[in-house]
Amino acid sequence: MNDIVTLAHGAGGKQTSELINRVFKAHLGSPYFTEDDAAVLSLPSSKVAMSTDGFIVSPAFFPGGNVGKLSICGTVNDVACMGARPLFLTCAFQIEEGFPMADLEKIVSAMEKTANEVGVHIVAGDTKVAGKGQVDGVFITTTGLGVVREDAHLSGAAAKPGDAVIVTGDVGRHGCAILLARNEYGIEADVTSDCAPLSAAVQASLDAVPDIHTIRDATRGGVGTVLYEIAHQSGVGVSLDSTAIPVAPEVSGVCGMLGLEPLYLACEGRLVMICPGDEADRLVEVLKGCPHTEGAAIIGHITDELPGRVVMNTEIGTQTILPEPGNELLPRIC
């Protein structure tokens, strides 16, 4: 097989079959994987959650992961945020002519490893090869499906005054890692993306605290954007403690140099959880015992004051209303 992806690999003939068998099927094959036009699946008689997302991160490889790992984590986490156990994924690749075959295999291998960690099966897919310059390397779209727990009633509209606001780890890491990986500012800092699958942590959280009201994946726009979305959906205010928000020193340093707010930088392995205030300590304890959420912390609470606003309480005793996010700070981060 060629060392690079050619237009022939997307033509549907012999080369396409070789690419599917030697790269995709070799890494992503499962008992459910099909060569027919659609996968036929058996589901428990229950509600299902379904989500789809496109991943066009630049660069495709970054400290802590690559676009392949990201494509699994992003969709798995979205499905998990509805209280569902992810079961099946489909994936579609748009690959630029000339993309190195070795890099494609690294990306697909990362997908295989991450899917195995979650226990999710990739059951169908599609491959298209675009002409030189029509795609920036490789784009991936994944669609996920999972079965929702009977006791899960999660919604961005379910936050209530008195609830606690929890994040599952330090914020802004992914956006900062991508920014540095582009090497546009000449800043050297050891920042690794937080990219991680979080479905196991969600299931453990709901086992311990079934009355969680909201779980959201803090991707584009970061934690700050998610909190504004929840404030609007629920018609509540959000009060944050600036000293409680976990930010890695290296991320804080980069943000200080560039004038960025970590709360608005993308995460790819962090959740925002809203639960009754008297259950918050228990929930944080459980999260600290799960993979990828060891840095969980309570960062604030839901209030009936200033509905639709997010207020920051500073370490010197003052309050400031966080600006509602507008323009994209870091394009192409997911």
Side-chain angles (χ1 to χ4, degrees), residues 55 67-79 89 114-115 117-118 142 194-198 217 219 268-269:
F55 301 87
V67 66
K69 178 182 180 181
L70 186 63
S71 71
I72 303 297
C73 293
T75 295
V76 160
N77 292 347
D78 284 347
V79 170
L89 290 174
T114 309
E117 179 183 346
V118 175
T142 51
D194 57 15
C195 183
L198 302 172
D217 190 13
T219 51
E268 287 293 346

Side-chain angles (χ1 to χ4, degrees), residues 26-56:
H27 290 283
L28 306 181
S30 75
Y32 305 96
F33 192 86
T34 181
E35 295 182 20
D36 293 323
D37 287 343
V40 178
L41 309 169
S42 297
L43 294 175
S45 55
S46 178
K47 291 188 297 183
V48 297
M50 190 172 185
S51 182
T52 192
D53 205 349
F55 301 87
I56 57 174

Side-chain angles (χ1 to χ4, degrees), residues 164-185:
V165 179
I166 294 167
V167 293
T168 60
D170 62 294
V171 304
R173 182 180 289 275
H174 180 73
C176 188
I178 296 300
L179 178 67
L180 296 178
R182 293 175 186 161
N183 199 27
E184 294 175 350
Y185 297 97

Side-chain angles (χ1 to χ4, degrees), residues 155-324:
S155 171
K160 302 174 182 178
D163 284 353
V165 179
I166 294 167
V167 293
T168 60
D170 62 294
V171 304
R173 182 180 289 275
H174 180 73
C176 188
I178 296 300
L179 178 67
L180 296 178
R182 293 175 186 161
N183 199 27
E184 294 175 350
Y185 297 97
I187 299 173
E188 293 187 7
D190 186 15
V191 180
T192 302
S193 170
D194 57 15
C195 183
L198 302 172
S199 54
V202 170
Q203 293 298 312
S205 296
L206 289 168
D207 286 342
V209 183
D211 194 27
I212 298 174
H213 294 156
T214 305
I215 304 178
R216 293 293 297 272
D217 190 13
T219 51
R220 275 182 300 183
V223 170
T225 298
V226 163
L227 290 175
Y228 258 104
E229 290 172 352
I230 294 169
H232 287 306
Q233 284 183 266
S234 294
V236 298
V238 180
S239 178
L240 301 179
D241 177 0
S242 65
T243 64
I245 298 169
V247 182
E250 58 272 26
V251 174
S252 181
V254 172
C255 288
M257 284 188 280
L258 298 178
L260 300 176
E261 169 54 65
L263 281 172
Y264 293 129
L265 293 186
C267 305
E268 287 293 346
R270 300 291 182 256
L271 303 175
V272 174
M273 294 187 171
I274 311 291
C275 75
D278 58 2
E279 298 271 23
D281 289 337
R282 170 64 177 150
L283 180 53
V284 169
E285 179 185 354
V286 170
L287 287 166
K288 286 181 179 290
C290 295
H292 312 304
T293 58
E294 298 89 346
I298 302 168
I299 63 169
H301 63 277
I302 302 299
T303 176
D304 55 8
E305 299 177 1
L306 296 175
R309 297 289 187 179
V310 179
V311 175
M312 181 73 76
N313 296 279
T314 71
E315 59 186 354
I316 61 173
T318 61
Q319 288 186 327
T320 182
I321 296 177
L322 287 180
E324 191 158 1

Side-chain angles (χ1 to χ4, degrees), residues 4-148:
I4 61 172
V5 177
T6 69
L7 289 175
H9 286 113
K14 177 182 176 183
Q15 289 90 340
T16 301
S17 179
E18 289 179 351
L19 178 64
I20 291 170
N21 287 323
R22 295 187 186 183
V23 178
F24 298 125
K25 191 174 180 180
H27 290 283
L28 306 181
S30 75
Y32 305 96
F33 192 86
T34 181
E35 295 182 20
D36 293 323
D37 287 343
V40 178
L41 309 169
S42 297
L43 294 175
S45 55
S46 178
K47 291 188 297 183
V48 297
M50 190 172 185
S51 182
T52 192
D53 205 349
F55 301 87
I56 57 174
V57 63
S58 179
F61 294 85
F62 49 84
N66 60 47
V67 66
K69 178 182 180 181
L70 186 63
S71 71
I72 303 297
C73 293
T75 295
V76 160
N77 292 347
D78 284 347
V79 170
C81 282
M82 299 312 297
R85 180 169 61 90
L87 295 178
F88 305 113
L89 290 174
T90 66
C91 57
F93 291 79
Q94 296 83 45
I95 310 167
E96 182 182 20
E97 176 190 12
F99 192 77
M101 197 67 72
D103 285 348
L104 179 62
E105 187 141 17
K106 290 176 186 176
I107 288 167
V108 178
S109 178
M111 296 174 71
E112 174 189 27
K113 180 179 178 180
T114 309
N116 288 341
E117 179 183 346
V118 175
V120 67
H121 297 287
I122 297 173
V123 299
D126 182 57
T127 304
K128 295 292 188 295
V129 179
K132 194 74 174 176
Q134 294 180 318
V135 172
D136 183 9
V138 59
F139 296 166
I140 304 175
T141 300
T142 51
T143 298
L145 185 147
V147 174
V148 180

